[in-house]
Amino acid sequence: MALQPSLRPLLIAGRPDAPHTLDVFLDYVCPFSGKLSVALDTVVKPLVDGGKYDGKIKVIFRNQVQPWHGSSTFTHEAGLAVARAAPEKFWAFSLLLLKKQGEYYDIPTSSLSPIQIREKLAGLADEAGLSQSQVAEFKDLLINKSTPNGGVSVTDDLKYTIKFSRQNGVHVSPSVLWDGLLANEVSSSWGDKEWNDFFAAKVTV
């Protein structure tokens, strides 16, 4: 499993030692990513966590920053901050952010400063169930460092996720890798039948 230790919360379903890997590249402000996230939560996770494919498939969330959306970087920094401050809440926060992604689209955030966007995301972290101490840590992780261009405390994690996408030729969201190879047939419109058919054809153990 290609995940540096700080990003282990991005394993959102399945066991770490499962032989098959489904990497799902999502952008928090992409409508199609939002649509696919619902299928991941309602169809894929039940099949992988205690279902037919328990122990056979693991599902990894991959942050896919799309820089043509002004707030994409800020939302992904927030997701990575939750992964550090409250790892058990990462998927719940991600689902909530994807559900409310319209609040972070280009026009709604066009008059907000980076600090205001991050404060708004802190409110979302609270809504996702982070404790007060976890929200405080979340905020601290998103404070700019003392150097003028040093980023925040999760910038290195963000760099890792972007480099991973680039080396795998992932350019858009959502995109899916199955066992390390792009599975271009996967669609955000897939439901129960399509996912079951996909796994039936792909799972070999």
PDB file of all heavy atoms in Angstrom, residues 83-97:
ATOM      1  N   ALA A  83      -6.966  14.537   8.914  1.00  0.00           N
ATOM      2  CA  ALA A  83      -6.286  13.235   8.963  1.00  0.00           C
ATOM      3  C   ALA A  83      -5.243  13.189  10.068  1.00  0.00           C
ATOM      4  O   ALA A  83      -4.988  12.129  10.651  1.00  0.00           O
ATOM      5  CB  ALA A  83      -5.638  12.937   7.609  1.00  0.00           C
ATOM      6  N   ARG A  84      -4.650  14.331  10.385  1.00  0.00           N
ATOM      7  CA  ARG A  84      -3.657  14.389  11.459  1.00  0.00           C
ATOM      8  C   ARG A  84      -4.292  14.639  12.830  1.00  0.00           C
ATOM      9  O   ARG A  84      -3.929  14.006  13.821  1.00  0.00           O
ATOM     10  CB  ARG A  84      -2.635  15.488  11.167  1.00  0.00           C
ATOM     11  CG  ARG A  84      -1.602  15.095  10.113  1.00  0.00           C
ATOM     12  CD  ARG A  84      -0.561  16.183   9.940  1.00  0.00           C
ATOM     13  NE  ARG A  84       0.489  15.798   9.006  1.00  0.00           N
ATOM     14  CZ  ARG A  84       1.679  15.312   9.368  1.00  0.00           C
ATOM     15  NH1 ARG A  84       1.942  15.136  10.649  1.00  0.00           N
ATOM     16  NH2 ARG A  84       2.585  15.005   8.461  1.00  0.00           N
ATOM     17  N   ALA A  85      -5.245  15.573  12.871  1.00  0.00           N
ATOM     18  CA  ALA A  85      -5.817  15.965  14.166  1.00  0.00           C
ATOM     19  C   ALA A  85      -6.852  14.977  14.676  1.00  0.00           C
ATOM     20  O   ALA A  85      -6.983  14.779  15.887  1.00  0.00           O
ATOM     21  CB  ALA A  85      -6.451  17.355  14.049  1.00  0.00           C
ATOM     22  N   ALA A  86      -7.587  14.367  13.774  1.00  0.00           N
ATOM     23  CA  ALA A  86      -8.659  13.441  14.161  1.00  0.00           C
ATOM     24  C   ALA A  86      -8.795  12.365  13.091  1.00  0.00           C
ATOM     25  O   ALA A  86      -9.753  12.358  12.324  1.00  0.00           O
ATOM     26  CB  ALA A  86      -9.977  14.195  14.333  1.00  0.00           C
ATOM     27  N   PRO A  87      -7.812  11.461  12.991  1.00  0.00           N
ATOM     28  CA  PRO A  87      -7.791  10.487  11.892  1.00  0.00           C
ATOM     29  C   PRO A  87      -9.069   9.674  11.759  1.00  0.00           C
ATOM     30  O   PRO A  87      -9.478   9.327  10.647  1.00  0.00           O
ATOM     31  CB  PRO A  87      -6.587   9.599  12.225  1.00  0.00           C
ATOM     32  CG  PRO A  87      -6.220   9.911  13.640  1.00  0.00           C
ATOM     33  CD  PRO A  87      -6.662  11.304  13.895  1.00  0.00           C
ATOM     34  N   GLU A  88      -9.715   9.402  12.878  1.00  0.00           N
ATOM     35  CA  GLU A  88     -10.946   8.604  12.829  1.00  0.00           C
ATOM     36  C   GLU A  88     -12.107   9.376  12.211  1.00  0.00           C
ATOM     37  O   GLU A  88     -13.134   8.788  11.860  1.00  0.00           O
ATOM     38  CB  GLU A  88     -11.316   8.127  14.237  1.00  0.00           C
ATOM     39  CG  GLU A  88     -11.916   9.189  15.160  1.00  0.00           C
ATOM     40  CD  GLU A  88     -10.917  10.200  15.715  1.00  0.00           C
ATOM     41  OE1 GLU A  88      -9.706  10.067  15.441  1.00  0.00           O
ATOM     42  OE2 GLU A  88     -11.362  11.112  16.436  1.00  0.00           O
ATOM     43  N   LYS A  89     -11.955  10.685  12.059  1.00  0.00           N
ATOM     44  CA  LYS A  89     -13.008  11.525  11.497  1.00  0.00           C
ATOM     45  C   LYS A  89     -12.747  11.917  10.038  1.00  0.00           C
ATOM     46  O   LYS A  89     -13.534  12.670   9.447  1.00  0.00           O
ATOM     47  CB  LYS A  89     -13.167  12.809  12.326  1.00  0.00           C
ATOM     48  CG  LYS A  89     -13.618  12.582  13.763  1.00  0.00           C
ATOM     49  CD  LYS A  89     -15.041  12.072  13.808  1.00  0.00           C
ATOM     50  CE  LYS A  89     -15.533  11.964  15.251  1.00  0.00           C
ATOM     51  NZ  LYS A  89     -16.923  11.459  15.319  1.00  0.00           N
ATOM     52  N   PHE A  90     -11.661  11.408   9.461  1.00  0.00           N
ATOM     53  CA  PHE A  90     -11.297  11.860   8.118  1.00  0.00           C
ATOM     54  C   PHE A  90     -12.406  11.621   7.101  1.00  0.00           C
ATOM     55  O   PHE A  90     -12.770  12.515   6.340  1.00  0.00           O
ATOM     56  CB  PHE A  90     -10.006  11.182   7.642  1.00  0.00           C
ATOM     57  CG  PHE A  90      -9.702  11.464   6.198  1.00  0.00           C
ATOM     58  CD1 PHE A  90      -9.188  12.695   5.820  1.00  0.00           C
ATOM     59  CD2 PHE A  90      -9.981  10.518   5.207  1.00  0.00           C
ATOM     60  CE1 PHE A  90      -8.936  12.984   4.479  1.00  0.00           C
ATOM     61  CE2 PHE A  90      -9.733  10.798   3.870  1.00  0.00           C
ATOM     62  CZ  PHE A  90      -9.210  12.027   3.509  1.00  0.00           C
ATOM     63  N   TRP A  91     -12.946  10.429   7.052  1.00  0.00           N
ATOM     64  CA  TRP A  91     -13.965  10.127   6.040  1.00  0.00           C
ATOM     65  C   TRP A  91     -15.259  10.886   6.325  1.00  0.00           C
ATOM     66  O   TRP A  91     -15.905  11.392   5.388  1.00  0.00           O
ATOM     67  CB  TRP A  91     -14.209   8.627   5.943  1.00  0.00           C
ATOM     68  CG  TRP A  91     -15.224   8.231   4.907  1.00  0.00           C
ATOM     69  CD1 TRP A  91     -16.340   7.475   5.098  1.00  0.00           C
ATOM     70  CD2 TRP A  91     -15.214   8.559   3.502  1.00  0.00           C
ATOM     71  NE1 TRP A  91     -17.032   7.312   3.927  1.00  0.00           N
ATOM     72  CE2 TRP A  91     -16.357   7.967   2.918  1.00  0.00           C
ATOM     73  CE3 TRP A  91     -14.356   9.293   2.683  1.00  0.00           C
ATOM     74  CZ2 TRP A  91     -16.655   8.094   1.548  1.00  0.00           C
ATOM     75  CZ3 TRP A  91     -14.659   9.420   1.327  1.00  0.00           C
ATOM     76  CH2 TRP A  91     -15.795   8.829   0.782  1.00  0.00           C
ATOM     77  N   ALA A  92     -15.641  10.999   7.579  1.00  0.00           N
ATOM     78  CA  ALA A  92     -16.855  11.753   7.921  1.00  0.00           C
ATOM     79  C   ALA A  92     -16.713  13.215   7.500  1.00  0.00           C
ATOM     80  O   ALA A  92     -17.644  13.811   6.938  1.00  0.00           O
ATOM     81  CB  ALA A  92     -17.135  11.656   9.422  1.00  0.00           C
ATOM     82  N   PHE A  93     -15.542  13.801   7.766  1.00  0.00           N
ATOM     83  CA  PHE A  93     -15.299  15.177   7.348  1.00  0.00           C
ATOM     84  C   PHE A  93     -15.318  15.292   5.829  1.00  0.00           C
ATOM     85  O   PHE A  93     -15.915  16.213   5.266  1.00  0.00           O
ATOM     86  CB  PHE A  93     -13.955  15.665   7.890  1.00  0.00           C
ATOM     87  CG  PHE A  93     -13.558  17.028   7.391  1.00  0.00           C
ATOM     88  CD1 PHE A  93     -14.063  18.178   7.989  1.00  0.00           C
ATOM     89  CD2 PHE A  93     -12.691  17.163   6.308  1.00  0.00           C
ATOM     90  CE1 PHE A  93     -13.704  19.441   7.518  1.00  0.00           C
ATOM     91  CE2 PHE A  93     -12.326  18.417   5.832  1.00  0.00           C
ATOM     92  CZ  PHE A  93     -12.843  19.566   6.440  1.00  0.00           C
ATOM     93  N   SER A  94     -14.664  14.345   5.161  1.00  0.00           N
ATOM     94  CA  SER A  94     -14.612  14.380   3.692  1.00  0.00           C
ATOM     95  C   SER A  94     -16.007  14.282   3.090  1.00  0.00           C
ATOM     96  O   SER A  94     -16.341  15.028   2.152  1.00  0.00           O
ATOM     97  CB  SER A  94     -13.725  13.240   3.175  1.00  0.00           C
ATOM     98  OG  SER A  94     -12.383  13.426   3.573  1.00  0.00           O
ATOM     99  N   LEU A  95     -16.821  13.381   3.606  1.00  0.00           N
ATOM    100  CA  LEU A  95     -18.192  13.247   3.104  1.00  0.00           C
ATOM    101  C   LEU A  95     -18.981  14.535   3.297  1.00  0.00           C
ATOM    102  O   LEU A  95     -19.722  14.965   2.406  1.00  0.00           O
ATOM    103  CB  LEU A  95     -18.902  12.095   3.813  1.00  0.00           C
ATOM    104  CG  LEU A  95     -18.663  10.682   3.305  1.00  0.00           C
ATOM    105  CD1 LEU A  95     -19.412   9.683   4.184  1.00  0.00           C
ATOM    106  CD2 LEU A  95     -19.105  10.532   1.848  1.00  0.00           C
ATOM    107  N   LEU A  96     -18.833  15.138   4.465  1.00  0.00           N
ATOM    108  CA  LEU A  96     -19.562  16.367   4.752  1.00  0.00           C
ATOM    109  C   LEU A  96     -19.098  17.492   3.831  1.00  0.00           C
ATOM    110  O   LEU A  96     -19.921  18.258   3.304  1.00  0.00           O
ATOM    111  CB  LEU A  96     -19.376  16.759   6.217  1.00  0.00           C
ATOM    112  CG  LEU A  96     -20.170  17.971   6.710  1.00  0.00           C
ATOM    113  CD1 LEU A  96     -21.671  17.746   6.556  1.00  0.00           C
ATOM    114  CD2 LEU A  96     -19.835  18.262   8.171  1.00  0.00           C
ATOM    115  N   LEU A  97     -17.796  17.589   3.623  1.00  0.00           N
ATOM    116  CA  LEU A  97     -17.263  18.627   2.740  1.00  0.00           C
ATOM    117  C   LEU A  97     -17.733  18.405   1.304  1.00  0.00           C
ATOM    118  O   LEU A  97     -18.111  19.354   0.607  1.00  0.00           O
ATOM    119  CB  LEU A  97     -15.735  18.631   2.815  1.00  0.00           C
ATOM    120  CG  LEU A  97     -14.974  19.622   1.924  1.00  0.00           C
ATOM    121  CD1 LEU A  97     -15.534  21.029   2.056  1.00  0.00           C
ATOM    122  CD2 LEU A  97     -13.494  19.594   2.259  1.00  0.00           C
TER     123      LEU A  97
END
